[in-house]
Amino acid sequence: MSEPVLPDIAPGRVVGVDVARAFALAGMMATHLLPGRIGNDVPWAQQVAGGRASALFAVLAGVSVALASGRTEPLRGRERGAASVRLAVRALLIGALGLALGAVPTVIAVILASYAVLFLLGLPFLGLGPRSLAAWAVAWVALAPVGAHLLRPLLPPHEVGSPEPEDLLRPGHLLSELLLTGYYPAAVWVAYLLAGMALGRLPLARPVVAARVLAVGVVLAVAATASSRLLLGQPGARAALAATYPDTVTPDPSLATDPGALDALLTHGLGGTTPTGSWWWLAVVAPHSGAPLDLAQTIGTAMAVTGLCVLATRIHPRVWAAVFGAGAMTLSLYTLHVLMMAQGWWPDWESPDHYGDQVLVVGVVGAFFALVPLRGPLETVVSVTSRRAALWLVAPARLPGTAPR
């Protein structure tokens, strides 16, 4: 009896990272499709995936940046220049796709435009090793939310909806949304990218390293949650939160009279940023709040998931690569998910009843591409275009028979 056909694994590819990315995609789909809050009750799917899935997606973006720029040894000189060009072109293509998907009639806050800005903001850090990147990540977690808290009152208020092509006619508004006031404020989310780059600079494939990443992640997530509970237990803290939510309008009176309503709000999460009426908001771990402890908790969760996935995939990695092939083509499958969520385009596929169907679709498509094997279509376009751009701008000086520039 012949053995089943399984995909070959490219040299140096960390299957556990792909598996973690598949979990991130499934988690983001859950937050888009499944109920987020019913009165004061927050369903378990939202409690598990809310804020954490998108944070895992962003941290793994940092891992990918590190893997594409030298892995454990940062690239130098012309090689770093070529990697920078590839990442910049990749960012532009993903940003354009994100704006296009923002025009699709869905309830999704499309992440790709902010994701693209993250790549651009990460370029200055390509030459750093894991210790320096980790130090920068810690500093960013501590300071970026404070800076954003001070700056947001000076900026135009957030507008509901994802950035779309027509926003290019309002570049100031678009930059404000992408960097500070939107659902995924890239100026704050750089913390996720730096943390992921630090992980990607480690020899993650080594079991002892993956185990340490898992352990540190668990400790960080638990410590951040405990610290938030301790701080919000101080006199006046919860009252200050209730009196200042939401921003710029009359506070929600139910938060002051019903403690369960405030608990539900903090469990379900915010819209990407915190209100600026009280500094106590920087003590929350509410999903999508961008507060320091929220960043720390979700980075810790992302580390734990990544470490666990790397350890698990050491046994039968080719099976994992086939079953979770979706993790190797998340750009294409995230795009497919957004299109499946388009209102009126599909037969009610944006309803919660179709979460399992959508997961099955992306899982089967991912497995098919892994087994053929083929790279995802959008991944192919981005890869080929970015490599050709780097070859055109940087590599000709290194071809045989050409003089250095």
Side-chain angles (χ1 to χ4, degrees):
M1 185 174 181
S2 61
E3 294 185 0
V5 178
L6 293 173
D8 290 328
I9 298 172
R13 190 167 189 92
V14 184
V15 176
V17 171
D18 288 337
V19 173
R21 201 177 285 115
F23 281 124
L25 177 62
M28 293 175 72
M29 293 169 64
T31 63
H32 297 157
L33 276 160
L34 300 180
R37 180 179 174 184
I38 306 172
N40 286 351
D41 179 50
V42 180
W44 69 268
Q46 175 65 31
Q47 293 188 43
V48 172
R52 296 182 180 88
S54 54
L56 175 59
F57 202 56
V59 169
L60 293 173
V63 174
S64 297
V65 168
L67 295 179
S69 59
R71 296 180 176 270
T72 57
E73 295 293 334
L75 297 177
R76 307 293 181 193
R78 196 173 298 277
E79 287 79 9
R80 177 177 171 178
S84 297
V85 170
R86 289 197 302 270
L87 289 169
V89 172
R90 181 181 181 185
L92 293 175
L93 293 173
I94 291 174
L97 175 62
L99 292 178
L101 291 178
V104 176
T106 73
V107 296
I108 295 176
V110 178
I111 196 174
L112 293 183
S114 296
Y115 195 65
V117 175
L118 279 182
F119 283 123
L120 296 177
L121 294 177
L123 293 179
F125 301 96
L126 290 185
L128 300 182
R131 291 181 182 272
S132 296
L133 286 166
W136 271 103
V138 170
W140 218 278
V141 165
L143 299 177
V146 176
H149 190 86
L150 293 171
L151 288 173
R152 282 199 308 274
L154 307 177
L155 300 173
H158 168 60
E159 294 182 5
V160 176
S162 302
E164 52 186 281
E166 67 179 25
D167 289 323
L168 292 171
L169 301 176
R170 300 186 296 164
H173 162 78
L174 180 59
L175 284 175
S176 174
E177 289 277 332
L178 292 176
L179 290 172
L180 287 165
T181 62
Y183 295 109
Y184 313 104
V188 175
W189 278 45
V190 168
Y192 292 134
L193 189 82
L194 293 172
M197 290 176 67
L199 293 180
R201 290 279 183 250
L202 299 174
L204 273 177
R206 293 174 53 189
V208 65
V209 174
R212 287 173 181 170
V213 168
L214 168 60
V216 171
V218 170
V219 170
L220 180 58
V222 171
T225 303
S227 298
S228 177
R229 290 180 178 176
L230 179 63
L231 288 171
L232 295 185
Q234 300 303 306
R238 291 174 59 88
L241 300 183
T244 54
Y245 181 86
D247 246 341
T248 71
V249 296
T250 303
D252 183 348
S254 69
L255 298 183
T257 58
D258 181 4
L262 181 60
D263 290 336
L265 171 68
L266 297 179
T267 301
H268 173 264
L270 306 179
T273 60
T274 59
T276 56
S278 170
W279 286 97
W280 281 113
W281 283 105
L282 296 186
V284 305
V285 288
H288 288 297
S289 64
L293 293 175
D294 170 42
L295 294 174
Q297 185 208 61
T298 47
I299 287 173
T301 303
M303 292 174 63
V305 171
T306 303
L308 181 61
C309 288
V310 172
L311 287 174
T313 54
R314 286 185 57 78
I315 301 175
H316 303 304
R318 296 174 68 193
V319 175
W320 286 95
V323 174
F324 291 90
M329 52 180 297
T330 49
L331 181 62
S332 295
L333 293 177
Y334 178 86
T335 300
L336 176 61
H337 165 62
V338 173
L339 296 178
M340 287 192 292
M341 291 288 290
Q343 297 171 340
W345 291 17
W346 298 69
D348 196 35
W349 269 53
E350 71 272 18
S351 72
D353 293 339
H354 286 289
Y355 172 69
D357 297 327
Q358 290 207 27
V359 170
L360 179 62
V361 168
V362 300
V364 169
V365 171
F368 172 79
F369 273 78
L371 291 170
V372 170
L374 286 173
R375 177 177 282 178
L378 292 179
E379 285 77 9
T380 299
V381 171
V382 170
S383 177
V384 170
T385 305
S386 61
R387 287 183 179 277
R388 287 184 177 178
L391 182 67
W392 180 63
L393 291 172
V394 180
R398 305 187 66 201
L399 294 177
T402 61
R405 295 178 182 177

